[in-house]
Amino acid sequence: QLQASGGGVVQAGASLRLSCAASSRTFRRYAVGWFRQAPGKEREFVASSSWSGASTYYAPSVQGRFTISRDNAKNTVYLQMNSLKPEDTAVYYCAADSAYNGFEEQYDYWGQGTLVTVSS
């Protein structure tokens, strides 16, 4: 079970850090992806990390502003979001998979989402 948290309302240019926590220790062996869904739009890929953190991928729209990292000792993956823009407003979801860490929605497990609102 995945629990996403850390969302909130911020002004443009601010930062937020989202967390994705799991209760199972096997989570540390899972790749994790972050996706987001803006109002009226389809869900889209944001970032992903391999189980070790050695391989990370980012959507072009967040490259250089967002950083995915993980603390496997805490069974938690983070998404540090800097220089937030109004277009980053969305519900953010974390997902996990034992093998896949790409940009498609092929992850086996999904969290409930956390809302990020960026005002201009």
Side-chain angles (χ1 to χ4, degrees):
Q1 187 173 9
L2 303 179
Q3 182 75 33
S5 62
V9 180
V10 298
Q11 290 189 332
S15 298
L16 275 177
R17 188 177 77 163
L18 305 183
S19 299
C20 177
S23 57
S24 172
R25 293 180 61 184
T26 59
F27 180 68
R28 63 190 62 182
R29 302 294 294 185
Y30 277 62
V32 172
W34 283 97
F35 292 77
R36 66 186 181 186
Q37 186 167 22
K41 296 186 177 181
E42 294 187 352
R43 190 158 56 186
E44 64 176 5
F45 170 79
V46 176
S48 67
S49 170
S50 61
W51 72 268
S52 66
S55 297
T56 57
Y57 303 98
Y58 296 92
S61 60
V62 306
Q63 180 79 47
R65 298 188 298 122
F66 291 11
T67 302
I68 187 170
S69 63
R70 61 192 304 158
D71 185 341
N72 283 340
K74 296 182 178 180
N75 290 340
T76 303
V77 174
Y78 303 100
L79 184 68
Q80 177 67 42
M81 306 186 297
N82 298 328
S83 302
L84 282 162
K85 304 175 181 180
E87 51 263 43
D88 294 318
T89 294
V91 176
Y92 283 71
Y93 299 89
C94 62
D97 193 272
S98 61
Y100 184 73
N101 69 326
F103 56 87
E104 296 185 357
E105 297 187 24
Q106 297 184 13
Y107 294 77
D108 285 340
Y109 305 98
W110 291 80
Q112 85 290 359
T114 184
L115 177 62
V116 173
T117 303
V118 184
S119 62
S120 57

